[in-house]
Amino acid sequence: MTTLTEFSLAEATAVLTRTPTILNALLRGLPSVWVRRNEGKDSWNAFDIVGHLIVGERTDWMPRARIILEHGEERPFDPFDRFAQAKESRGKSLEQLLDEFARSRKENLAALQALNLQPEDLTRRGMHPELGVVTLSQLLATWAVHDLTHLHQLSRVMAHQYREAVGPWSAYLGVLQCNGHSAP
Amino acid sequence: MTTLTEFSLAEATAVLTRTPTILNALLRGLPSVWVRRNEGKDSWNAFDIVGHLIVGERTDWMPRARIILEHGEERPFDPFDRFAQAKESRGKSLEQLLDEFARSRKENLAALQALNLQPEDLTRRGMHPELGVVTLSQLLATWAVHDLTHLHQLSRVMAHQYREAVGPWSAYLGVLQCNGHSAP
């Protein structure tokens, strides 16, 4: 068994590969109460979250991996735009976004595999504009946990819609006590 | 659009139907680091969580719905055993548990449909041994949100395994700030 801190490319890839299928199973064809509603104010609904994941595929994970491999710490990553999806998702259906995410993730995982990363590559360092020095393995671990943080958020946003409907059971349902820390 | 408080049998069923497929997509064949590890001490891993969902299918949701329909408030529900899965899952693989959950959920949703519930049925009242008076619609809403609470928990338990591996990014990943309120 590995320790808590050890990163494995195969393990991270196992999570990354599954996410499009999970989101399809969870969201495709769901009634709008679950996918178009948010947690109030400018919080995100399922539509926003899938849009955000697409932007990450295009501008965050693999582009940053390439910056680390090509430039190391010399060239800081470009900042990530957490609100780009508002513009980019406009006019698209949730089903279109799910298709786009699945396609983009598949391409990125193929590109990751094509890098044929060796254990020593995983220790290579890059420069995050806010967090400072990070390693390639930390970036790839974060890619996987970022998927999980948005699955966590999706389950919470959906549960919120039935906050009143469950009546006194709300005391027993942990997801209804989650205070929104998983907004990205 | 319905309000936040309004329950819809079709909407709740849409969630309940999807959960076995979601758990399959998330868990089947995953490396053991993600499914056999917990959050420390006697917290639950993915194996425990799927076992708990199976126990709920057999002893909680539909049995309680039947008690409401047959006895109303006169007969309190049997208490739910939150630890029954430890014994019942012993010796089984995660894949066996996923199959068992899918089969059990399918049977229960068929039984729910066979009840042919009418709007007035949803307001019928039962007696929870701790929470007091509850309605059938609250029970069915809770069934769906209970699925979401465990999806929320699963994403958190998995993310926990990479708490160290993500390095400084942990500050940005909400799921790593979730303090376990979603057990059980």
Side-chain angles (χ1 to χ4, degrees), chain A residues 38-102:
Chain A
N38 63 15
E39 296 173 289
K41 294 184 183 160
D42 57 354
S43 65
W44 290 5
N45 63 16
F47 192 84
D48 300 318
I49 293 167
V50 179
H52 165 75
L53 289 170
I54 292 170
V55 177
E57 291 304 303
R58 203 186 61 251
T59 70
D60 189 335
W61 312 108
M62 284 304 292
R64 288 180 170 189
R66 290 196 185 92
I67 290 173
I68 291 177
L69 293 170
E70 292 168 20
H71 304 281
E73 297 171 56
E74 283 174 29
R75 183 185 149 191
F77 305 147
D78 300 322
F80 180 72
D81 182 354
R82 285 187 44 229
F83 301 99
Q85 68 275 4
K87 201 170 87 183
E88 301 193 14
S89 301
R90 201 170 292 152
K92 295 180 186 169
S93 68
L94 182 61
E95 281 63 29
Q96 285 175 303
L97 294 183
L98 288 167
D99 288 341
E100 192 174 335
F101 174 62

Side-chain angles (χ1 to χ4, degrees), chain A residues 2 4 18 37 130 161 172, chain B residues 2 4 37 130 161 172:
Chain A
T2 55
L4 195 64
R18 280 163 169 81
R37 294 199 181 177
E130 291 174 5
Q161 312 311 322
Y172 289 180
Chain B
T2 55
L4 196 64
R37 295 203 179 171
E130 292 173 4
Q161 313 311 322
Y172 290 180

